Amino acid sequence: MQFLRIGDVVLSHDIHGLGSGKPALCFINSLGTDRRIWDAVVAGLRDDFTILTFDKRGHGLSDLGSPPYRIEEFSQDLAGLLDHYGLTNVIVCGLSVGGLIALGLYQSRPDLVRAILFADTAHKIGTPEFWKTRIDAVMEGGIESILEPIMSRWFTPPYRSADNAAYQGYCTMLVRQPKLGYAGTCAAIRDADFTEVARNVAVPALCVVGDQDGSTPPDLVRSLADLVPGARFAVIAGAAHIPCVETPEKFITLLRTFIADLPGD
C-alpha cells in the first residue's frame, strides 16, 4: 500500500511489477468500492503484467478532496499516478464509473492509453432524476439506507447468501465509504455524458457485462460497444455488476484474450 499526492488529494494505491518491462494494466474501481475489488484479478495476472490499482478520491484510503466531483478530476488523478510511475501505453480497465473515468483519461491523455476494457459501464449512466434521488437518500439516511437495493444490483442472488462471508464483507465496504465521497461521485456520474468521446475512441476496446447486472444492464453496455469503433462485446454468465468479484476467473480469461489479440502482441 502506497500513498502519493496528486494535485489536491493524496491517493492510496498499489503498484506491482514496476520496472519489469511487462505490459501495464490499470484497474479503476466502481462507485462505493475501493481497489480491493480487483484483488482476485490482480492475483491472477500479476506475474505477467505491471499493475496499478488505486482508490479514487472520496473512496477507500484516498483523500476526500472537494466534492461534488467531475469525472475529469478522477481522470486527472489517474493521469498523475501514471505520469509519476512513468507508465504509458497502458491497458485501462474501468468498472462502472471507472469506465467513465477511462473515457475521460482517453479524452485528455490519449498518449497514456493503449486499449480499454469497459466493464459494466456506459457512455452515460442514469438520469439526473435518478442520481438526485440517490444523493438525497445518502445525505439524509447514510449509505446504509440504500444498502439492500445496491447489493441486489451488484451481486446475483446466490452470491447474496447470508452464509457468504465475502458478501457480508462487500456490504461493509460499501457502508464504510465516506458519505460525501459517495454522493460527490454520484454527482459526477449525473453530469457525465461521454457519448462523443466514445464515438472517437481509436484504440482497441472490449465491453463486458454480467448477465444479471442491475446497474448497467447488458443492453446499456451493448449501446456503448455500438458507439466505440470496432469494440467487442461479451456477456459474463452468472455475474451481476461486479464480475471481478463474483466471477474473477471468467473476467481474467476475457481480459487475457483481449490483450493477446492487441496489435503488436
Side-chain angles (χ1 to χ4, degrees):
M1 181 169 60
Q2 301 186 55
F3 297 90
L4 182 69
R5 179 172 295 280
I6 302 293
D8 64 332
V9 294
V10 171
L11 297 178
S12 178
H13 63 285
D14 290 300
I15 187 156
H16 307 282
L18 187 66
S20 67
K22 297 174 181 177
L25 278 168
C26 173
F27 294 98
I28 315 170
N29 56 292
S30 56
L31 171 66
T33 67
D34 61 43
R35 67 186 184 275
R36 289 174 292 183
I37 64 169
W38 300 107
D39 281 356
V41 173
V42 170
L45 296 171
R46 63 184 299 166
D47 290 342
D48 301 312
F49 299 93
T50 297
I51 301 177
L52 172 69
T53 59
F54 69 105
D55 295 341
K56 59 185 170 290
R57 62 172 63 207
H59 288 70
L61 296 181
S62 289
D63 280 352
L64 184 64
S66 301
Y69 310 122
R70 296 175 296 108
I71 294 297
E72 290 79 4
E73 291 178 275
F74 297 120
S75 301
Q76 290 165 7
D77 292 343
L78 175 52
L81 280 173
L82 295 174
D83 283 342
H84 175 80
Y85 288 110
L87 297 177
T88 58
N89 211 30
V90 178
I91 301 157
V92 180
C93 179
L95 174 66
S96 195
V97 66
L100 295 172
I101 296 168
L103 284 167
L105 179 69
Y106 180 78
Q107 181 183 37
S108 62
R109 293 291 305 277
D111 58 298
L112 298 176
V113 181
R114 178 185 180 191
I116 307 174
L117 189 151
F118 295 103
D120 300 79
T121 189
H123 47 289
K124 182 172 177 57
I125 303 173
T127 65
E129 294 76 20
F130 173 88
W131 291 112
K132 181 182 186 305
T133 299
R134 176 74 63 86
I135 292 168
D136 290 346
V138 168
M139 296 308 295
E140 292 171 12
I143 298 177
E144 58 271 22
S145 69
I146 60 169
L147 176 63
E148 291 306 318
I150 294 299
M151 288 294 140
S152 70
R153 296 182 177 97
W154 278 14
F155 298 113
T156 63
Y159 194 87
R160 300 199 308 272
S161 166
D163 296 329
N164 183 2
Y167 171 66
Q168 298 302 318
Y170 285 106
C171 290
T172 301
M173 176 184 285
L174 174 62
V175 300
R176 287 188 180 174
Q177 300 304 318
K179 179 172 73 173
L180 291 176
Y182 185 95
T185 305
C186 289
I189 301 171
R190 176 197 64 201
D191 297 337
D193 186 344
F194 282 85
T195 303
E196 291 306 314
V197 178
R199 285 194 177 113
N200 290 285
V201 170
V203 296
L206 170 64
C207 299
V208 303
V209 60
D211 64 346
Q212 300 175 56
D213 189 336
S215 293
T216 53
D219 284 349
L220 179 60
V221 179
R222 186 185 293 275
S223 72
L224 172 62
D226 290 342
L227 278 175
V228 176
R232 303 181 189 180
F233 176 72
V235 176
I236 301 176
H241 191 55
I242 311 185
C244 53
V245 166
E246 199 161 8
T247 55
E249 297 84 3
K250 293 178 181 178
F251 193 92
I252 290 169
T253 296
L254 284 169
L255 180 53
R256 281 192 179 276
T257 300
F258 174 58
I259 293 171
D261 291 340
L262 292 177
D265 287 75

